[in-house]
């Protein structure tokens, strides 16, 4: 290897530029004591007058720049690489695939504390308690140290506190705690972090039914003799997919390898963790967005050291360092939360498939309503398709009926037949679940006289009325204001609520069914950390009679007693401008309907709609995913839409309406032309103004992925060089989204 004096470090630096930067190891002086760091090591580098944490992606002897132009790094931060060669390869691939700056991808793959330059090895967390001395002393003794006094008062209420609990406290709390420790008022515990391991119970094993066993048998050979195979487990709701994952993970663990289970954000419930834990007695790490930076670092560390044999996590857990990874499972693979919607817009499922391929291990994608991308791969044979057609509990899939809103009056969003069905279900002491994907009390406030409606002054959107707090809120930008007493346009009329959100329906249900316990689950009722879990537990334990909620309620949860599911409005999405809208609506309806009748009693689903004749509902009523998917795929193929054509969207936004479009027009004219590529005209986004910014977009479609990538990459390179283009780009916020999920 080259000597330290001649070595050039190629470093990924977290800046929005699609390139790496070269540095020297040291300026001059005695090199004999210096060791050349390994690829994958972090270094602190000088960058535009700042110090940034970069990652060495290559070590080389030559640079395009002359040596005297290269700067030395300040410091090498690690004695061993943060990432192994596989993860580095994954990072490189992602930067190429998503046309993203490699420094932003390396940042994404690192826990926050490592991005900030902290030590690779996690430091144990500390917690503090009031000591006996502290408890028996008079707090007046602290009157000259007000911060210490305030902190001691907090300890009197809180028993134990950790660093995270002081986030709101002004600076200086650390010194105050140190002083209190010194005086003997507080005791300190060092928390020895432990992995979740299976409990002392005997390993519980459910006997798989024939379909489940068939799926396991099918995959077993590629676990025994690892090989990349992508499997799509298409199982109806309640068919026992989770049991299949667990059985397969058990086999992987038996071969001495680690497993990664990716789940959607709201699918990662304590119930799921308990289920896995009870059946796989092994150290397990959990990774999700609610962890503190310290907890996250620790989970990452346990995965990397091999101490954790199973990692369960949400989107970014796809980067978990797992030196002995033997299989990846992606549950609810169709779920939109796997796609990151800002920064590097990656899709964790697709990254997971690439990772499995690179490692030569199997991957299993599970869903009751697979994404059309995965489903098409199963049809074409690129993925192996495994089907679970029956519910594991032998319950029948529910009967689905439509309620024609053209014929039926609505009161507070409920039609008479739905009210009757609710009443009957409650009379039989069974649970009802109502689905309405709109929170708040009313989505629109209108003047009874002049018919003026209240809109957000920063968005092209109505303000939602929240009755309990008597405030108007914009659900797009967070703007909030007190609801006015009367119309400000005509200065006279009374304001009336138009349409209904979950709060209005909740109120109506309470009035109509005073003896029933109504549980509302939406973003407003679950703002506190842990609140969603509490409500979901109440829901599944039968502590409520009517569950009312948005999408939060619909996904993956097991509510054993629900016998009736009502969908209050299924029409958003039937006639939408977004080409994926009906796919998403179908997924939602199947998920919601899937909550009904999961045990002995047969369930029933009632859907209120203004379009009962729409063929869409035939597939819904028949639970015919295959028929619906074939229809959609034929449409997509005819228009060369994904998964048959490849999309990228260039988005721009600006406080000046013209600037976003101007940037995109210039972009369109400078994107290289190619027979396989079409670049549409720039258009305003469907909701043009949001949070005071005008948004516009440019769609690129290509017949082959390679064309899309090479043209978009060439254009990005051009933009980095071209001064006029850079100037336009500097005036807007822009982003490029490869494989966009939504066309806005
Ligand atoms: P899915 O993930 O496909 O919706 P789950 O794995 O949650 O389904 O299973 C639904 C219910 O069926 C769970 O309560 C589970 O314990 C039960 N179950 C799954 N497999 C079996 C089986 N082979 N025998 C009995 N019950 C099962
Ligand atoms: Zn707004």
């Amino acid at each position: 290897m080259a000597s330290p004096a001649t070595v050039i470090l190629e470093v990924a630096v977290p800046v929005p530029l699609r390139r790496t930067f070269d540095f020297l190891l040291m300026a001059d002086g005695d090199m004999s004591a210096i060791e050349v760091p390994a690829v994958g090591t972090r270094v602190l580098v000088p960058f535009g007058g700042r110090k940034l944490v970069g990652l060495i992606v290559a070590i080389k002897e030559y640079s395009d720049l002359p040596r005297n132009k290269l700067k030395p790094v300040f410091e090498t931060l690690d004695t061993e690489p943060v990432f192994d060669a596989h993860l580095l390869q994954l990072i490189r691939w992602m930067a190429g695939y998503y046309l993203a700056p490699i420094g932003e991808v390396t940042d994404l793959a690192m826990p926050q504390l490592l991005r900030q330059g902290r030590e690779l090895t996690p430091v144990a967390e500390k917690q503090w308690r009031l000591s006996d001395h502290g408890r028996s002393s008079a707090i007046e003794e602290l009157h000259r140290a007000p911060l210490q006094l305030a902190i001691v008062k907090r300890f009197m209420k809180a028993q134990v506190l950790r660093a995270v609990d002081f986030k709101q406290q002004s600076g200086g709390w650390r010194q105050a705690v140190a002083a209190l420790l010194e005086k003997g008022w507080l005791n300190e515990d060092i928390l020895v972090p432990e992995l979740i391991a299976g409990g002392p119970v005997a390993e519980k094993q459910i006997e798989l039914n024939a379909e489940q066993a068939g799926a396991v048998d099918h995959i077993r050979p590629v676990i025994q003799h690892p090989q990349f195979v992508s499997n799509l487990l298409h199982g109806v709701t309640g068919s026992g997919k989770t049991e299949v994952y667990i059985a397969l993970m058990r086999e992987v663990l038996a071969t001495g390898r680690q497993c990664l289970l990716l789940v959607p954000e709201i699918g990662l419930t304590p119930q799921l963790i308990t289920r896995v834990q009870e059946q796989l007695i092994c150290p397990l790490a959990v990774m999700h967005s609610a962890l503190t930076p310290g907890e996250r670092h620790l989970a990452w560390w346990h995965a990397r050291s091999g101490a954790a044999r199973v990692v369960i996590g949400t989107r970014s857990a796809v980067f978990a360092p797992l030196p002995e990874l033997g299989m990846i499972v992606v549950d609810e693979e169709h779920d939109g939360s796997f796609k990151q919607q800002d920064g590097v817009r990656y899709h964790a499922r697709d990254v997971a498939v690439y990772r499995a391929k690179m490692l030569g291990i199997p991957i299993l994608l599970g869903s009751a309503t697979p994404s059309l991308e995965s489903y098409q791969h199963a049809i074409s044979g690129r993925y192996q398709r495994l089907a679970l057609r029956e519910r594991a509990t032998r319950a029948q899939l529910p009967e689905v009926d439509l309620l024609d809103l053209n014929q039926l009056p609505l009161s507070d969003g409920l039609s008479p037949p739905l009210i009757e069905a609710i009443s009957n279900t409650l009379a039989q002491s069974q649970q009802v679940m109502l689905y309405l994907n709109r929170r708040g009390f009313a989505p629109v406030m209108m003047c009874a006289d002049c018919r003026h409606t209240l809109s957000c002054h920063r968005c092209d959107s109505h303000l939602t009325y929240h009755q309990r707090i008597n405030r108007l809120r914009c659900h797009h930008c967070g703007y909030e204001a007190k609801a006015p007493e009367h119309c400000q346009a005509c200065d006279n009329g009374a304001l009336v609520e138009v349409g209904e959100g979950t709060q209005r329906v909740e109120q109506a249900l309470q009035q109509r069914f005073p003896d029933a316990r109504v549980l509302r689950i939406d973003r407003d009722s679950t703002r506190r950390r842990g609140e969603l879990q509490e409500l979901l537990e109440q829901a599944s334990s039968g502590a409520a009679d009517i569950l009312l909620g948005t999408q939060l309620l619909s996904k993956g949860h097991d509510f054993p007693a629900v016998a009736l599911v009502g969908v209050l409005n299924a029409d958003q999405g039937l006639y939408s401008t977004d080409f994926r809208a009906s796919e998403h609506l179908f997924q939602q309806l199947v998920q919601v309907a899937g909550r009904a009748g999961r045990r002995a009693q047969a369930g029933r689903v009632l859907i209120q709609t203004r379009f009962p004749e729409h063929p869409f509902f035939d597939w819904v009523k028949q639970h015919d995913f295959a028929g619906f998917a074939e229809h959609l795929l034929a449409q997509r193929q005819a228009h060369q839409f994904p998964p048959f054509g490849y999309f990228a969207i260039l988005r721009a936004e600006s406080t000046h309406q013209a600037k976003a479009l101007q940037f995109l027009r210039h972009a369109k004219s400078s994107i290289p032309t190619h027979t396989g590529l079409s670049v549409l005209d720039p258009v305003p986004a469907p909701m043009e103004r949001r949070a005071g910014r005008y948004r516009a977009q440019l769609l690129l479609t290509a017949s082959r992925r390679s064309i899309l990538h090479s043209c978009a990459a060439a254009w990005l390179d051009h933009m980095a060089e071209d001064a006029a283009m850079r100037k336009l780009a500097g005036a807007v916020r822009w982003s490029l989204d490869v494989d966009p999920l939504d066309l806005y």
Side-chain angles (χ1 to χ4, degrees), residues 365-632:
L365 311 176
S367 176
T369 50
S371 64
L372 287 190
E373 280 75 4
S374 299
Y375 197 69
Q376 175 58 27
H377 283 324
I379 292 174
S380 74
R382 274 186 66 181
Y383 291 1
Q384 309 251 323
R385 178 158 171 231
L386 305 163
L388 304 178
R389 294 177 185 83
E390 306 270 328
R391 281 187 157 180
T393 51
R394 310 213 160 250
Q396 295 294 310
L397 284 168
E399 194 179 310
V400 180
D401 289 305
L402 302 179
L403 300 175
D404 183 354
L405 292 186
N406 302 300
Q407 315 280 341
L408 296 165
L410 277 183
S411 69
D412 293 315
L414 304 167
S415 64
L418 181 57
I419 293 169
E420 195 189 321
I422 295 172
S423 172
N424 291 340
T425 309
L426 294 177
Q428 290 162 26
S429 306
Q430 289 173 329
Q431 253 181 341
V432 175
M433 180 175 136
L434 299 176
Y435 174 69
L436 173 61
N437 213 8
R438 199 154 56 194
R439 63 198 171 86
F441 188 84
V444 179
M445 287 286 264
M446 190 177 76
C447 171
D449 281 1
C450 76
R451 307 192 83 72
H452 170 75
T453 55
L454 298 186
S455 304
C456 178
H457 65 291
R458 313 196 315 149
C459 306
D460 293 331
S461 147
H462 283 121
L463 291 168
T464 300
Y465 180 54
H466 288 250
Q467 192 197 40
R468 213 162 295 171
I469 50 173
N470 193 33
R471 287 176 85 78
L472 296 166
R473 270 192 192 149
C474 174
H475 287 182
H476 299 283
C477 73
Y479 167 80
E480 213 187 285
K482 191 171 174 299
E485 306 271 311
H486 55 83
C487 177
Q488 282 154 344
C490 65
D491 218 14
N492 177 33
L495 291 167
V496 292
E497 302 104 16
V498 184
E500 48 283 315
T502 45
Q503 292 174 11
R504 185 174 201 162
V505 177
E506 179 188 25
Q507 194 185 61
L509 290 167
Q510 277 162 348
Q511 280 160 6
R512 212 176 267 277
F513 304 104
D515 297 331
R517 293 159 301 173
V518 182
L519 198 65
R520 174 167 63 85
I521 300 186
D522 57 28
R523 279 240 305 281
D524 297 310
S525 70
T526 57
R527 285 191 188 272
R528 250 194 316 114
R529 190 178 160 182
E531 209 164 11
L532 175 62
Q533 273 335 310
E534 280 166 35
L535 290 184
L536 289 174
E537 257 148 51
Q538 285 179 30
S540 52
S541 72
D545 303 305
I546 303 178
L547 317 176
L548 164 69
T550 56
Q551 270 197 65
L552 281 190
L553 190 56
S554 68
K555 288 186 191 170
H557 310 295
D558 202 11
F559 302 128
V562 169
L564 171 71
V565 167
V567 177
L568 267 48
N569 187 342
D571 297 341
Q572 288 169 317
L574 270 186
Y575 293 97
S576 163
T577 51
D578 188 350
F579 78 101
R580 283 190 220 267
S582 62
E583 179 186 358
H584 289 161
L585 180 62
F586 195 87
Q587 287 162 352
Q588 272 172 30
L589 291 183
V590 170
Q591 291 296 339
V592 178
R595 303 308 115 208
R598 282 165 78 89
R599 292 298 183 275
Q601 79 280 21
R604 190 164 177 224
V605 178
L606 294 174
I607 301 177
Q608 301 188 147
T609 172
R610 290 203 185 277
F611 307 100
E613 308 297 322
H614 200 295
F616 173 87
F617 288 114
D618 293 335
W619 292 301
V620 174
K621 278 160 69 173
Q622 306 296 322
H623 302 280
D624 184 10
F625 176 83
F628 177 64
E630 268 162 42
H631 161 81
L632 277 189

Side-chain angles (χ1 to χ4, degrees), residues 222 226-229 325-328 355-357 359-363:
V222 291
Q227 187 187 330
F228 168 65
V229 182
L325 186 55
M327 180 179 69
I328 306 177
R355 188 169 180 186
K357 189 171 173 183
L359 292 171
I361 58 169
I363 181 167

Side-chain angles (χ1 to χ4, degrees), residues 55 57 83-102 104-106 108-110 260 262 315-322 325 328 344 346-359 363:
L55 191 95
V57 293
F83 296 122
D84 63 12
H86 279 126
L87 272 172
L88 276 175
Q89 190 185 337
L90 187 72
I91 286 167
R92 273 181 201 284
W93 172 81
M94 271 186 69
Y97 187 90
Y98 292 104
L99 300 162
I102 188 163
E104 290 186 354
V105 183
T106 51
L108 202 63
M110 261 190 274
L260 174 61
L262 296 177
R315 184 173 62 226
S316 67
V318 73
F319 305 113
L322 294 152
L325 186 55
I328 306 177
V344 182
Y346 69 98
H347 198 301
R349 175 201 60 217
D350 299 343
V351 175
V353 171
Y354 180 82
R355 188 169 180 186
K357 189 171 173 183
M358 186 181 81
L359 292 171
I363 181 167

Side-chain angles (χ1 to χ4, degrees), residues 241-242 245 261-264 329-333 338 364 366-367:
K241 294 183 285 296
T242 314
Y245 308 153
L261 170 60
L262 296 177
V263 295
V329 178
V330 183
D331 188 27
E332 310 283 355
E333 65 88 29
F338 287 122
L364 178 62
S367 176

Side-chain angles (χ1 to χ4, degrees), residues 82-371:
V82 173
F83 296 122
D84 63 12
H86 279 126
L87 272 172
L88 276 175
Q89 190 185 337
L90 187 72
I91 286 167
R92 273 181 201 284
W93 172 81
M94 271 186 69
Y97 187 90
Y98 292 104
L99 300 162
I102 188 163
E104 290 186 354
V105 183
T106 51
D107 247 25
L108 202 63
M110 261 190 274
Q112 185 191 335
L113 293 182
L114 295 190
R115 289 204 288 272
Q116 294 169 348
R118 300 276 281 274
E119 267 179 68
L120 186 61
T121 323
V123 278
E125 242 197 300
K126 294 171 183 166
Q127 67 177 28
W128 305 283
R129 287 177 287 109
L130 222 49
S131 66
D132 288 340
H133 172 67
R135 218 169 287 125
S136 58
S137 304
I139 53 171
E140 289 73 30
E141 284 175 33
L142 297 172
H143 72 276
R144 267 188 293 168
L147 186 56
Q148 292 178 25
L149 184 69
I151 288 175
V152 166
K153 282 187 178 159
R154 283 192 62 187
F155 275 106
M156 289 173 156
K157 275 186 242 146
Q159 299 276 358
V160 295
L161 293 171
R162 295 200 244 167
V164 281
D165 301 313
F166 289 98
K167 260 203 235 149
Q168 314 293 344
Q169 197 101 28
S170 63
W173 69 266
R174 275 188 192 277
Q175 287 93 315
V177 166
L180 288 166
L181 282 167
E182 179 86 359
K183 290 185 216 165
W185 281 67
L186 295 182
N187 284 338
E188 181 171 85
D189 311 319
I190 308 280
L191 298 177
V192 184
E194 272 180 72
L195 283 171
I196 308 173
V201 288
E203 195 154 328
K204 184 171 125 190
Q205 280 209 25
I206 287 187
E207 200 175 324
L208 298 182
N209 64 34
E211 279 188 320
Q212 289 170 318
V216 173
D217 289 343
H218 186 92
I219 301 177
R220 183 175 295 119
V222 291
I223 290 175
Q224 301 301 340
H225 305 283
Q227 187 187 330
F228 168 65
V229 182
S230 198
N231 300 280
L232 178 65
L233 181 65
H234 180 193
V236 298
T237 51
S239 58
K241 294 183 285 296
T242 314
E243 300 304 327
V244 173
Y245 308 153
I246 292 173
L248 288 167
M249 291 201 285
R250 186 180 295 120
E251 308 233 351
V252 174
L253 294 173
T255 68
R257 283 186 283 264
Q258 295 168 290
C259 304
L260 174 61
L261 170 60
L262 296 177
V263 295
E265 193 68 50
I266 59 178
L268 187 51
T269 59
Q271 289 93 319
L272 174 74
I273 295 167
T274 308
R275 247 170 108 178
V276 173
Q277 224 179 318
E278 277 176 354
Q279 298 190 55
L280 302 175
I281 306 238
C282 75
L284 179 148
V286 179
M287 292 183 172
H288 56 81
S289 57
L291 297 183
T292 63
E295 289 169 331
R296 195 166 183 87
H297 185 194
L298 204 61
W300 182 89
W301 177 257
H302 285 316
R304 185 178 180 275
S305 71
R309 306 313 295 170
V310 171
V311 170
I312 307 184
T314 53
R315 184 173 62 226
S316 67
V318 73
F319 305 113
L322 294 152
E324 298 165 320
L325 186 55
M327 180 179 69
I328 306 177
V329 178
V330 183
D331 188 27
E332 310 283 355
E333 65 88 29
H334 65 276
D335 195 271
S337 73
F338 287 122
K339 169 92 175 170
Q340 172 129 323
Q341 298 287 17
D342 53 19
V344 182
R345 292 164 191 252
Y346 69 98
H347 198 301
R349 175 201 60 217
D350 299 343
V351 175
V353 171
Y354 180 82
R355 188 169 180 186
K357 189 171 173 183
M358 186 181 81
L359 292 171
I361 58 169
I363 181 167
L364 178 62
L365 311 176
S367 176
T369 50
S371 64

